[in-house]
Amino acid sequence: MRRRYLMLLAAPLLASSMALAPAHVAQAAAAGTSGVEQAVKVTKVEVVTLLKPGETVECNGTPVAMAFDGKVTATGPGTVRYHWTVNAGRARVSPGTFAFGAGTSTKVALQVVDMPAPKNAKAVTGYVTLHLPDQKKSVRSEQVTFPCKK
């Protein structure tokens, strides 16, 4: 009888410890996931100009569109924040994020900017800079110059 009484007392304790196990596993999984967010490592950043060199543009007071690709290569899962700046300006343009999965991959962000093209100008020039603030990295494009049509 005493043994049966002890088993009846032990049953609720065993049940409660089994109910806690999935909760404990869920907490561990959540902790692991948040740690994974920080696992991303940026290995390469580049900015590519998407316009043909030597192309001429109309300089009639209407801005000229210049296009650039920002390419970010990273290893490991996580999120990388970015934004652009145009020429020497400090204003942040087109902020966004790249979501990386496991392994190594490259993400691309297109940035199109309107550069001023004053009437009677000889050329339109400009550049952009891609900033990754969390990685403390910034990469500037080459200076792009388009002669104005005569």
Side-chain angles (χ1 to χ4, degrees):
M1 181 77 160
R2 183 172 181 219
R3 192 170 130 180
R4 185 173 173 194
Y5 176 74
L6 290 175
M7 288 179 71
L8 289 173
L9 286 175
L13 293 174
L14 181 61
S16 66
S17 67
M18 294 190 82
L20 290 176
H24 179 68
V25 170
Q27 283 180 339
T33 302
S34 64
V36 168
E37 285 296 321
Q38 304 306 318
V40 66
K41 180 179 179 182
V42 173
T43 57
K44 185 176 181 183
V45 182
E46 62 183 314
V47 178
V48 179
T49 304
L50 299 179
L51 302 169
K52 298 174 189 167
E55 189 175 325
T56 59
V57 295
E58 290 288 335
C59 296
N60 57 11
T62 303
V64 172
M66 293 185 183
F68 304 87
D69 268 347
K71 296 182 179 184
V72 177
T73 302
T75 300
T79 302
V80 174
R81 293 183 317 127
Y82 70 87
H83 67 270
W84 298 86
T85 54
V86 179
N87 293 332
R90 295 188 186 266
R92 295 177 179 196
V93 180
S94 304
T97 58
F98 293 120
F100 289 92
T104 300
S105 60
T106 300
K107 304 290 181 176
V108 179
L110 172 67
Q111 179 61 37
V112 178
V113 294
D114 289 330
M115 297 292 180
K119 289 183 180 181
N120 302 320
K122 293 184 180 184
V124 176
T125 63
Y127 63 90
V128 296
T129 305
L130 176 60
H131 303 272
L132 308 177
D134 298 332
Q135 283 71 33
K136 297 182 172 104
K137 295 182 188 239
S138 295
V139 175
R140 181 182 146 172
S141 72
E142 63 183 79
Q143 175 94 9
V144 180
T145 301
F146 292 103
C148 295
K149 292 180 182 176
K150 297 181 180 186

